[in-house]
Amino acid sequence: MLWVFHAGPAQFRTGWFVESLATQTLVIFAIRTRRSPFWRSRASLPLVLTTLVVVVVGALLPFTPLAPTLGFQRLPLGYFAALAGMVLCYLALVEVGKRLFYRTRPGATGSRAEVGHRHLRRRAARFSTSGRLAR
């Protein structure tokens, strides 16, 4: 925002708001399933629609009369092309992180899959209170 679009503080804050809202809302699709979120595991229509409405409202907010009250400024149209690229990169990195976390191949069967599940439970126990009580 600063170097490419020469944004001031208000425009930078606006861009950050729109980008954060888009990435953190769309990441729901990646973290809701172990599968590929858009190809192998489709979300329900209400989830898709509400997510898209939130992202669109957030992107249009700087263009409304409410924007000055919130301290927002209009964003250049080129920013939205950059935003699409940032969102795609972010979601791709989340998928890579998810794959590294699960570390089991899709379609793995037999004892290898069971070992992967034990490994997953052991790793997940660090983040749950029930896992701490069982130790």
Side-chain angles (χ1 to χ4, degrees), residues 18-51:
V18 172
E19 183 270 336
S20 296
L21 184 67
T23 55
Q24 298 309 308
T25 305
L26 293 172
V27 79
I28 291 169
F29 293 104
I31 63 174
R32 60 174 270 284
T33 180
R34 284 181 69 168
R35 297 179 173 181
S36 298
F38 300 106
W39 294 276
R40 296 189 65 201
S41 175
R42 299 199 185 245
S44 67
L45 185 61
L47 178 63
V48 171
L49 291 177
T50 55
T51 303

Side-chain angles (χ1 to χ4, degrees), residues 114-130:
E114 292 171 15
V115 169
H117 289 297
R118 279 197 307 260
H119 178 70
L120 177 64
R121 283 193 300 268
R122 196 170 60 242
R123 289 183 67 178
R126 296 185 310 197
F127 302 103
S128 68
T129 56
S130 62

